[in-house]
């Protein structure tokens, strides 16, 4: 599956680069590094370090390493026992997150020139999110809810199975060039679900999927800073 996807990705790059008109000014290779910071619809932040190889000034490929972690929302996750005792997800794991690889095509369209140089671009990057850990292991604590310290009486672990690895992703953004530096702002969209690695966990006959919010897409607003050479 991954071999076929990789072959298709390379073929798409070659076809897209061939589709753009070439001239001497447009042929120079350019390397770019970007650091991206975003907030998304999972009440999570995203940090990403990305590298782009521009085959031409208008088209290239991008690879990013994305860290996503919930910050604003602690899921009210628990499995209830009668009366006093409950299984609860251990406190350190109550916020979901993932590490994602993001390969993409990169198309860059100049929209503003100043003193003979392009200074403002619109970029679009169709690609994918690849989850590097699609099956999470969660730890559960059995606690006495009448004990203010909520110290665990016992602990158990459960591991997800069958989590998805591949998700589509696309983003568009404006970039303003300042010499060899750039600043950008834009929007990203993916069918990635931050609870992908939890949803198939079954513990004490209770499905985790029934206790967390329904699947939702990832919609991200982000800013970035970068350098090219």
């Amino acid at each position: 599956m991954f071999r076929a996807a990789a072959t298709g990705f390379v073929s798409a790059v070659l076809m897209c680069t061939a589709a753009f008109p070439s001239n001497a000014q447009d042929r120079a290779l350019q390397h770019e590094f970007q650091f991206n910071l975003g907030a998304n619809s999972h009440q999570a932040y995203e940090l990403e370090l990305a590298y782009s190889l521009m085959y031409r000034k208008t088209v290239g490929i991008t690879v990013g390493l994305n860290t996503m972690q919930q910050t604003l929302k602690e899921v009210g996750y628990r499995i209830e026992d009668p009366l006093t005792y409950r299984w609860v997800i251990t406190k350190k794991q109550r916020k979901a997150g993932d590490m994602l690889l993001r390969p993409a095509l990169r198309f860059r369209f100049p929209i503003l020139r100043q003193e003979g140089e392009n200074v403002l671009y619109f970029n679009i990057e169709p690609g994918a999110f690849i989850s590097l850990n699609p099956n999470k292991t969660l730890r559960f604590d059995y606690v006495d809810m009448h004990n203010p310290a909520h110290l665990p009486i016992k602990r158990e672990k459960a591991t997800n199975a069958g989590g998805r690895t591949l998700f589509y992703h696309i983003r568009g953004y404006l970039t303003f060039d300042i010499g060899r530096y750039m600043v950008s702002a834009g929007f990203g969209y993916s069918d990635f679900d931050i609870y992908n690695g939890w949803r198939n966990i079954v513990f004490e006959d209770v499905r985790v999927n029934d206790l967390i919010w329904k699947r939702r897409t990832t919609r991200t607003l982000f800013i970035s800073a970068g350098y090219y050479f």
Side-chain angles (χ1 to χ4, degrees):
M1 175 182 175
F2 287 104
R3 183 177 296 176
T7 302
F9 183 77
V10 172
S11 299
V13 172
L14 295 176
M15 287 189 293
C16 290
T17 56
F20 278 76
S22 63
N23 54 62
Q25 190 177 10
D26 190 42
R27 297 291 287 185
L29 288 174
Q30 181 171 291
H31 305 271
E32 294 184 11
F33 288 97
Q34 291 190 52
F35 178 75
N36 306 307
L37 172 64
N40 67 33
S41 53
H42 298 294
Q43 300 189 45
Y45 70 81
E46 293 182 33
L47 295 177
E48 183 186 87
L49 182 63
Y51 165 75
S52 295
L53 174 62
M54 302 303 295
Y55 173 72
R56 297 175 181 167
K57 291 185 178 181
T58 49
V59 63
I61 57 174
T62 296
V63 178
L65 184 61
N66 184 298
T67 299
M68 189 183 299
Q69 183 66 48
Q70 284 183 322
T71 55
L72 302 179
K73 175 73 173 181
E74 182 173 307
V75 176
Y77 179 87
R78 65 178 182 272
I79 298 175
E80 296 190 4
D81 238 338
L83 303 177
T84 303
Y85 299 97
R86 291 179 180 173
W87 282 103
V88 296
I89 190 169
T90 190
K91 189 172 183 179
K92 292 182 179 180
Q93 289 187 300
R94 291 180 189 175
K95 298 177 183 179
D98 208 344
M99 185 77 73
L100 302 154
L101 190 67
R102 185 180 66 86
L105 297 173
R106 169 97 176 268
F107 302 102
R108 184 170 59 179
F109 304 96
I111 59 177
L112 179 65
R113 292 178 66 85
Q114 185 175 332
E115 297 179 356
E117 295 289 337
N118 295 317
V119 294
L120 185 65
Y121 294 86
F122 175 70
N123 303 265
I124 187 167
E125 296 184 0
F129 264 160
I130 301 173
S131 174
L132 300 182
N133 185 16
N135 294 302
K136 305 291 193 300
T137 296
L138 298 182
R139 192 174 75 234
F140 299 88
D141 296 339
Y142 193 65
V143 299
D144 179 354
M145 299 304 292
H146 289 176
N147 183 339
H150 287 179
L151 296 176
I153 299 169
K154 56 182 176 179
R155 288 176 169 171
E156 297 289 345
K157 292 181 179 180
T159 301
N160 192 70
R164 280 181 61 188
T165 300
L166 188 63
F167 305 83
Y168 69 79
H169 183 276
I170 187 169
R171 70 176 193 165
Y173 56 100
L174 290 172
T175 296
F176 185 73
D177 282 3
I178 308 170
R180 288 193 173 273
Y181 297 90
M182 66 195 78
V183 291
S184 305
F187 176 77
Y189 184 84
S190 174
D191 64 339
F192 173 74
D193 170 32
I194 201 168
Y195 289 112
N196 170 68
W198 292 25
R199 293 196 179 274
N200 297 332
I201 293 177
V202 179
F203 183 75
E204 295 292 317
D205 298 322
V206 177
R207 298 177 67 242
V208 171
N209 191 53
D210 295 334
L211 304 174
I212 53 183
W213 66 43
K214 294 181 180 179
R215 294 183 185 274
R216 61 176 65 176
T217 56
T218 302
R219 301 177 299 280
T220 306
L221 290 173
F222 67 90
I223 57 175
S224 68
Y227 175 80
Y228 65 86
F229 59 95

